[in-house]
Amino acid sequence: MAQTVCILLGEEDRTRLAAIVGDRNRPQKHVQRARIVLLSADRLPVLAVARRTDASRPAVWRWQQRFAEQGVDGLLRDKTRKPGKKPLPAATVAKILALPCGKPPRQATHWTGRMVAKAVGVSLRAVQRIWEANRLQPHRVRTFKTSNDPALAEKVEDVVGLYMNPPIHAVVISTCHNPASCLRALRRAMVSENWL
């Protein structure tokens, strides 16, 4: 991809480029471009110009070509680029924010980013960006799970009863090494003393 552009500088262009290099208020990109052209006009090889200006060889070729086509003014202006992707419509953003607040599909416990992205027809990253911007974290919703134990009410009454009405003179000494057997012994002692 080596290009051979021979830079020929007139006195006026050399003066303008030297002024750009010497101006401390200029953007550094303009100073670098002016130095590339000045060093190229001194017939230095592209690699030497690239090293002295801390630029890549393709950058040196690009600015040599731009100077040859447009002069000094071409170095001071960047080419315009196509704008990025359009932002998502407000209706799509609203749908991305509303879906996780509703009931999840099928047997899912909550909406995932992938599920929302597939349902709305956008990328996962777009969903993640919108959730982050709105501080929405549907995967962190905390729910209370009820027990399926049929004796749950009795167990809760036992535990709450001990806290609400503790025994006045109760000392249980246990030398068990197994915690489960210790708890059973404690429960038997409490039942025998009518504390439960």
Side-chain angles (χ1 to χ4, degrees), residues 111-186:
W111 281 93
T112 64
R114 284 184 176 83
M115 288 172 21
V116 172
K118 187 175 180 182
V120 177
V122 296
S123 69
L124 171 62
R125 187 63 193 129
V127 171
Q128 291 169 339
R129 272 195 302 271
I130 292 169
W131 283 0
E132 287 170 12
N134 292 281
R135 296 184 181 181
L136 185 64
Q137 298 177 339
H139 59 284
R140 290 196 174 186
V141 173
R142 294 185 180 188
T143 58
F144 180 76
K145 295 182 180 178
T146 57
S147 175
N148 294 333
D149 186 6
L152 176 68
E154 296 159 8
K155 291 177 182 177
V156 170
E157 287 175 10
D158 287 347
V159 172
V160 172
L162 285 175
Y163 283 107
M164 299 302 290
N165 189 14
I168 297 172
H169 302 289
V171 175
V172 176
I173 299 174
S174 175
T175 58
C176 303
H177 295 293
N178 183 358
S181 62
C182 289
L183 289 174
R184 282 194 296 270
L186 176 63

Side-chain angles (χ1 to χ4, degrees), residues 9 15 40 67 76 136 155 183:
L9 278 180
T15 305
S40 298
F67 178 78
L76 303 179
L136 185 64
K155 291 177 182 177
L183 289 174

Side-chain angles (χ1 to χ4, degrees), residues 67-103:
F67 178 78
E69 293 171 355
Q70 300 176 8
V72 177
D73 293 331
L75 300 176
L76 303 179
R77 134 182 110 244
D78 293 329
K79 286 189 174 180
T80 58
R81 296 180 180 166
K82 292 181 182 177
K85 292 182 179 178
K86 291 182 181 178
L88 293 173
T92 305
V93 173
K95 190 172 182 181
I96 290 171
L97 293 174
L99 276 177
C101 297
K103 186 177 179 183

Side-chain angles (χ1 to χ4, degrees), residues 40-90:
S40 298
D42 292 339
R43 302 289 184 260
L44 288 174
V46 172
L47 189 58
V49 173
R51 284 185 182 149
R52 287 190 182 183
T53 59
D54 197 29
S56 64
R57 288 182 304 164
V60 171
W61 294 326
R62 180 184 320 116
W63 296 116
Q64 287 174 343
Q65 186 69 34
R66 179 81 68 86
F67 178 78
E69 293 171 355
Q70 300 176 8
V72 177
D73 293 331
L75 300 176
L76 303 179
R77 134 182 110 244
D78 293 329
K79 286 189 174 180
T80 58
R81 296 180 180 166
K82 292 181 182 177
K85 292 182 179 178
K86 291 182 181 178
L88 293 173

